[in-house]
């Protein structure tokens, strides 16, 4: 069969087993399921509940929420129109979660809403390692929380997920961005510093100097990073309350024993951040080294139409980059679950006999599989091995006549003849070992 269609570059098929080359897929479905299960467990321990919002959102929500001048909104949105409606495939999930919080009046539930999500996001980027067009994010949003403990807990929660998965080689960088009120003064200070150096800036940075000078701080350009050394730092321009809040966050992180670095030039790509900003980097990821980023976004709710300010803090993390980091750290992830039993049948009579038998075993909770192609015994055994079945039951005419079957324990190679009537008991007795 010729395969004339290919997936769109920057998107992936996620296959049941990791047989494809690494360039075609990031990890197999069992690996994804394992990581997702771990994320859910850690979320549950923190009392964080899952929210699922649509993939399609109104374009204006994203444009207003994230900010017109960001790369995401200015060049990376998959957006289209149908009639009068403007749709976007969500490039991130924070603005959608805040929309849902406001729309469903979740504030009325009282307290802080601790929400998490796992799901696909879309950005029209140039595909490269760690940067895709359809990728997956997981993250939390603590909405209605201004306490510095919420910021610290957010960072620790992300760290707990990585540690729970066995990942230990990462760094946490931290900064405070102050508030909307203090930012203009800092922007002005940056402009004063960079204007006389404008001829040493890249074209992009020169544009940013007037439109959004904070973004210059994001630069990866070595020469520009050198210029940053003398630049004014945000922490010198934030208000006293933000400075106190920042100290509290650091105090809680230190009390929790988390090592972190303060990075005065960490600004994050999205406009809606206030006060705390953080990133978690993995040294093994190369150019796209950020595993997760987040911070406080007290302005977002008002930005998207709330009459009240709603303090909130959260993080977003990439699933694909997490897999790349796990692979680089040689952390083994589970493969496909092993079937409890694989039934090998020889001839039509045995196949007909096996069909209801398999149904009954499945209803009893066993994972029971067989060959659907009427292949040779050898081919069926090969398939049982490929699937790493725990046991094989061999049924042929002679066995049926005798009311018996051959039962082979694949881990030990031990084989026995067993009465058909006895099979369900023998299989179920020790089949329910926990699956990996
Ligand atoms: P952001 O929403 O840009 O702060 O991204 C949060 C995290 O999502 C990043 O740290 C990455 O791990 C991941 N991420 C963002 N954009 C992409 C992308 N295009 N491809 C893969 N992962 C991404």
């Amino acid at each position: 069969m010729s395969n004339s269609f290919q997936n769109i570059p920057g998107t992936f098929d996620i296959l049941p087993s990791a047989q494809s080359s690494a360039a075609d897929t990031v990890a197999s479905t069992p690996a994804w399921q394992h990581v997702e299960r771990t994320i859910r467990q850690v979320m549950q321990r923190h009392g964080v509940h899952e929210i699922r919002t649509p993939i399609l959102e109104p374009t204006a929500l994203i444009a207003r929420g994230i900010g017109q001048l960001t790369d995401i909104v200015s060049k990376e949105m998959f957006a289209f129109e149908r009639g009068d409606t403007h749709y976007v495939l969500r490039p991130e999930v924070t603005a959608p979660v805040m929309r849902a919080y406001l729309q469903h009046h979740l504030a009325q539930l009282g307290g802080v809403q601790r929400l998490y999500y796992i799901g696909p996001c879309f950005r029209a980027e140039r595909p490269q390692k760690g940067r895709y067009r359809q990728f997956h994010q997981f993250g939390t949003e603590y909405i209605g929380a201004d306490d510095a403990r919420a910021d610290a807990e957010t960072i620790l929660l992300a760290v707990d997920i990585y540690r729970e998965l066995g990942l230990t080689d990462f760094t946490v960088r931290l900064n405070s961005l102050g508030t909307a009120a203090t930012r203009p003064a800092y922007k002005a200070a940056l402009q004063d510093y960079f204007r006389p150096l404008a001829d040493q800036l890249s074209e992009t940075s020169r544009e940013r100097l007037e439109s959004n000078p904070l973004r210059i701080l994001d630069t990866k350009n070595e020469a520009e990073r050198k210029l940053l050394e003398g630049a004014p730092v945000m922490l010198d321009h934030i208000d006293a309350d933000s400075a106190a809040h920042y100290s509290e966050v650091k105090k809680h992180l230190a009390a929790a024993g988390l090592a972190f670095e303060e990075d005065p030039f960490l600004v994050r790509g999205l406009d809606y951040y206030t006060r705390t900003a953080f990133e978690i980097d993995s040294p093994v990821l190369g150019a796209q080294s950020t595993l997760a980023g987040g911070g406080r976004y007290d302005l977002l709710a008002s930005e998207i139409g709330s009459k009240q300010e709603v303090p909130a803090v959260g993080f977003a993390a990439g699933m694909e980059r997490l897999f790349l980091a796990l692979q680089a750290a040689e952390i083994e992830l589970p493969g496909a679950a092993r079937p409890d039993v694989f039934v090998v049948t020889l001839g039509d009579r045995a196949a007909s006999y096996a069909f209801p038998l398999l149904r009954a075993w499945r209803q009893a909770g066993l994972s029971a599989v067989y060959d659907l192609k009427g292949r040779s015994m050898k081919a069926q055994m090969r398939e049982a091995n490929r699937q790493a079945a725990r046991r094989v039951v061999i049924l042929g005419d002679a066995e049926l006549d005798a009311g018996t079957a051959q039962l082979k324990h694949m881990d030990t190679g031990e084989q026995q003849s067993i009465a058909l009537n006895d099979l369900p008991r023998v299989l179920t007795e020790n089949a329910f070992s926990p699956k990996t």
Side-chain angles (χ1 to χ4, degrees), residues 353 403 418-425:
Y353 185 87
I418 189 160
L420 284 176
N421 291 341
D422 238 10
L423 256 182
R425 186 184 58 76

Side-chain angles (χ1 to χ4, degrees), residues 19-316:
Q19 71 213 136
S20 244
S21 74
D24 291 337
T25 182
V26 179
S28 62
T29 26
W32 278 79
Q33 288 165 352
H34 167 75
V35 169
E36 287 171 357
R37 208 162 34 237
T38 306
I39 293 168
R40 291 177 195 288
Q41 277 163 2
V42 177
M43 295 295 182
Q44 203 217 339
R45 286 183 217 154
H46 286 76
V48 187
H49 299 280
E50 185 179 6
I51 180 165
R52 299 187 189 192
T53 60
I55 303 294
L56 283 179
E57 289 285 355
T59 308
L61 166 72
I62 301 298
R64 290 249 293 281
I66 302 181
Q68 292 286 357
L69 296 176
T70 57
D71 285 351
I72 294 183
V73 173
S74 61
K75 20 182 223 230
E76 295 170 358
M77 288 199 298
F78 282 109
F80 59 96
E81 287 172 51
R82 281 276 173 283
D84 293 338
T85 311
H86 295 247
Y87 303 88
V88 63
L89 300 182
R90 66 180 189 194
E92 56 101 59
V93 196
T94 299
V97 170
M98 184 58 94
R99 174 198 55 68
Y101 173 91
L102 296 171
Q103 180 179 337
H104 303 289
H105 308 290
L106 297 187
Q108 287 173 3
L109 299 173
V112 171
Q113 290 300 304
R114 294 168 149 94
L115 302 170
Y116 83 88
Y117 57 82
I118 308 181
C121 294
F122 304 82
R123 295 184 194 174
E125 317 219 41
R126 189 172 62 79
Q128 53 193 291
K129 189 174 178 199
R131 194 172 280 285
Y132 311 110
R133 292 186 161 171
Q134 174 170 344
F135 59 100
H136 297 73
Q137 283 191 341
F138 64 97
T140 58
E141 317 294 352
Y142 281 23
I143 307 184
D146 53 18
D147 196 302
R149 283 176 301 176
D151 306 49
E153 195 172 300
T154 296
I155 298 170
L156 291 164
L157 194 157
V159 164
D160 282 353
I161 289 171
Y162 293 136
R163 287 190 180 148
E164 189 77 20
L165 287 163
L167 202 65
T168 49
D169 195 10
F170 51 79
T171 49
V172 178
R173 289 181 299 119
L174 190 64
N175 193 18
S176 174
L177 308 182
T179 64
T182 55
R183 213 160 298 164
Y186 180 57
K187 283 187 178 171
L190 273 182
Q191 285 168 330
D192 287 347
Y193 173 76
F194 278 116
R195 275 199 189 114
L197 305 171
D199 56 348
Q200 299 177 51
L201 293 175
S202 65
E203 200 183 319
T204 320
S205 290
R206 260 201 309 278
E207 278 166 29
R208 287 176 173 167
L209 179 53
E210 298 313 320
S211 59
N212 195 359
L214 288 180
R215 295 291 314 282
I216 300 177
L217 306 179
D218 264 346
T219 183
K220 299 265 186 300
N221 176 319
E222 273 309 312
E224 291 185 345
R225 293 209 69 87
K226 266 228 108 38
L227 293 180
L228 281 182
E229 286 169 15
V233 298
M234 187 118 53
L235 286 179
D236 293 339
H237 290 81
I238 67 176
D239 56 290
D241 285 349
S242 292
H245 191 272
Y246 185 51
S247 301
E248 283 282 295
V249 175
K250 289 190 288 180
K251 189 185 83 186
H252 293 307
L253 292 178
L258 182 76
F260 58 88
E261 290 169 15
E262 290 184 68
D263 178 349
F265 297 126
L266 172 66
V267 287
R268 312 269 306 121
L270 317 183
D271 273 359
Y272 52 54
Y273 286 104
T274 49
R275 296 193 168 171
T276 312
F278 71 94
E279 284 188 353
I280 303 180
D281 295 320
S282 161
V284 298
L285 288 183
Q288 311 304 329
S289 63
T290 312
L291 279 173
R296 180 163 279 287
Y297 49 95
D298 296 347
L299 302 177
L300 174 61
S302 328
E303 212 54 66
I304 62 172
S306 168
K307 297 211 171 48
Q308 272 109 43
E309 276 202 7
V310 182
V313 59
F315 78 88

